[in-house]
Amino acid sequence: MSAVSDTAPRLAAPKPRGGIAQSIADSLVVARRNLIRMSRIPEMVIFGLIQPIMFVVLFSYVFGGSMNIGGSTDPDVYRNFLMAGIFAQTVTFATAGAGAGIADDMHRGLIDRFRSLPMARGAVLTGRTLADLVQTALTVVVLAIVALLVGWRIHEGVPKAIGAFALLLLLGYAFSWIGALIGLSVRTPEAATSGGLIWLFPVTFVSNAFVDSSQMTPWLQHVAEWNPFSATVQACRELFGNPGVSESTAWPMQHPVWASVIWSVVIIAVFRTLAVRKYRSAA
């Protein structure tokens, strides 16, 4: 009896994509997955909107009349001074949520499943941070509407205002990589939330966001002026045409737009590298 061997035709292997193309495609898939998840849990978005709205109302109407901005204690002046700080605080506080989300994926073993797939190593984190950026942009839009209702106005035209919002989103995206690193470094989502807020409070409050930094003690004023958060706040005030333009001689306060871009790019470069390295070794 003769043995008949049937050899199945070999399928042509798909042409491999380049590293950058694969990373972009995988990142967009992960981002879509996270956006779908957010849409199915609307309370995540709702609670993210409530906090900044509360800050606007509380700071505007509780502290507005007692703040001295450029020699004026007019609450309307303070509201316009305040909003750049509230916008910046909103995009940075989203960092805690990003860290908690990644820590939750780690806790449930989802990160391990992603690591077993033939996908770019940084795609999981990039997709997550992009999805958080979309949620942050939605929050900023709603917050801007609320700010307009309480009396905030822009005075330098729409193009410059768009530039200011772009700087805010760039800062938020940069800080989300810090949240990603924290989320990969802790064991529970609760720890990621706490760890994300511990460092955010001094960063946002030791700045020019809520008070004029010139009224601080000299050493604290120096820290506030070189704070990356302060650079973005100052840049937004200039682009919005709001009061509070600093007379400081510190370089970030003299060139806040450039300082904001440089700080954000440096933070992304450093913490994305650290987060991807941590992701590769995380278990």
Side-chain angles (χ1 to χ4, degrees), residues 1-14:
M1 183 175 180
S2 60
V4 179
S5 61
D6 294 328
T7 303
R10 178 177 296 179
L11 297 175

Side-chain angles (χ1 to χ4, degrees), residues 43-62:
E43 55 267 27
M44 293 174 61
V45 179
I46 293 173
F47 291 154
L49 292 172
I50 292 175
Q51 178 178 311
I53 292 174
M54 288 177 59
F55 271 109
V56 171
V57 175
L58 289 175
F59 275 86
S60 297
Y61 294 102
V62 176

Side-chain angles (χ1 to χ4, degrees), residues 51-52 54-56 58-60 63-64 66-69 77-90 92-93 143 200-216 224 227 229-230 233-234 237 244:
Q51 178 178 311
M54 288 177 59
F55 271 109
V56 171
L58 289 175
F59 275 86
S60 297
F63 302 111
S66 60
M67 294 294 183
N68 188 328
I69 304 300
V77 173
Y78 182 67
R79 272 187 214 108
N80 283 274
F81 171 87
L82 172 71
M83 282 315 305
I86 293 291
F87 283 131
Q89 185 193 51
T90 300
T92 53
F93 268 43
L143 184 59
L200 277 173
F201 274 104
V203 166
T204 55
F205 282 94
V206 183
S207 71
N208 60 357
F210 307 110
V211 297
D212 187 352
S213 59
S214 64
Q215 299 177 11
M216 300 179 181
N227 184 344
F229 185 83
S230 294
V233 172
Q234 191 65 27
R237 286 191 181 125

Side-chain angles (χ1 to χ4, degrees), residues 17 28 40 127 180 234 252:
R17 292 173 292 179
L28 293 177
R40 292 175 178 173
Q234 191 65 27

